[in-house]
Amino acid sequence: MNPAFESFVAPARRRAQLWRLPLGAAVILFVYAGCAAAILAGLALVTDAPGFMGWISDMAEAASPWRTLTVLATFPGMMIGVFAAARLLHARSAASLFG
């Protein structure tokens, strides 16, 4: 094996149990949903109820650049969820996830 590759995967091998997979997925989903809810709550604060519901339905179709950007703004929540799962379940820093 390549020594560089071995040094990259060594931190992951220390805590390689199957039960961590569904728990990690749950952590990622929880953090992602929380971040998306925070974005939508902020949007709800700046729009009225009919405007908010229209915005939500237009987001599903990417009806405008702003609606598309709103959808894209939820993606960092997924990244934060992965970093949180790595820290909580594997005692690894976010930097250790990058080669």
Side-chain angles (χ1 to χ4, degrees):
M1 280 282 180
N2 183 341
F5 178 73
E6 285 299 318
S7 66
F8 176 68
V9 298
R13 288 192 175 133
R14 285 194 300 259
R15 295 184 180 222
Q17 290 90 17
L18 192 57
W19 64 267
R20 293 178 195 273
L21 179 64
L23 188 57
V27 168
I28 293 167
L29 180 64
F30 180 76
V31 171
Y32 176 67
C35 289
I39 289 169
L40 293 177
L43 184 62
L45 290 174
V46 297
T47 61
D48 57 351
F52 177 72
M53 294 310 292
W55 190 284
I56 296 297
S57 65
D58 287 347
M59 278 175 50
E61 299 172 9
S64 76
W66 286 109
R67 268 85 168 166
T68 303
L69 286 174
T70 306
V71 172
L72 293 174
T74 66
F75 289 8
M78 183 70 71
M79 178 183 66
I80 294 167
V82 170
F83 293 164
R87 172 63 67 196
L88 295 172
L89 298 174
H90 299 280
R92 294 179 61 185
S93 68
S96 73
L97 301 177
F98 298 98

